[in-house]
Amino acid sequence: PFLPPLTNEQISKQGDYILANSWTPCLEFAASDQAYAGNENCIKRGPGASTYQNNKYWTMGKLPMFGCTNGSQGLSEIQACTNAFPDAYIKLVCFDANKQVQISGFLGHKPPSATDYKLPADKQV
């Protein structure tokens, strides 16, 4: 978590950017104890840092939003997913149909109980 949480306006603008590039948005969510890679919740191929992820997937919130036409629709889906799973991390990811890969993603909701983000002034090195 390097950036402060996005505002609703920023999330909507990110959605507009995704659609302007003809990418398909999709929501994924994970419980707070499953959101981050760790030795307890990842399948690993031998010894290595816990940040290397094999089989570390978040649950898809719905089918990809193929008919989405503006960023505010993605924001509405994030809010609906938040209502259904208030204690989960929710991210919006996007896929490029031509390259057949996930292009980007960002956190759209962090559970109220999350304590992982700190203001830069509050961080210690």
Side-chain angles (χ1 to χ4, degrees):
F2 302 105
L3 298 173
L6 296 175
T7 65
N8 287 346
E9 181 181 353
Q10 291 169 324
I11 291 171
S12 185
K13 286 182 179 180
Q14 289 294 319
D16 289 337
Y17 178 80
I18 288 167
L19 296 170
N21 284 284
S22 300
W23 299 330
T24 303
C26 180
L27 288 186
E28 297 178 347
F29 68 94
S32 59
D33 63 339
Q34 296 292 312
Y36 289 97
N39 290 329
E40 314 78 38
N41 61 7
C42 283
I43 299 170
K44 295 168 41 171
R45 297 179 187 157
S50 64
T51 55
Y52 179 75
Q53 302 176 33
N54 286 326
N55 299 325
K56 178 68 180 147
Y57 302 104
W58 287 25
T59 303
M60 189 179 291
K62 283 185 165 182
L63 292 174
M65 295 178 262
F66 295 110
C68 191
T69 57
N70 64 61
S72 64
Q73 289 173 308
L75 179 60
S76 295
E77 290 296 328
I78 289 172
Q79 290 169 341
C81 193
T82 299
N83 290 339
F85 305 100
D87 294 324
Y89 286 86
I90 301 169
K91 64 181 175 179
L92 189 139
V93 298
C94 58
F95 297 92
D96 184 319
N98 295 321
K99 295 179 182 176
Q100 297 288 305
V101 295
Q102 181 177 320
I103 294 292
S104 182
F106 61 89
L107 201 57
H109 171 77
K110 187 167 31 171
S113 60
T115 59
D116 50 355
Y117 176 76
K118 294 182 180 171
L119 293 170
D122 298 332
K123 293 181 181 179
Q124 295 182 357
V125 180

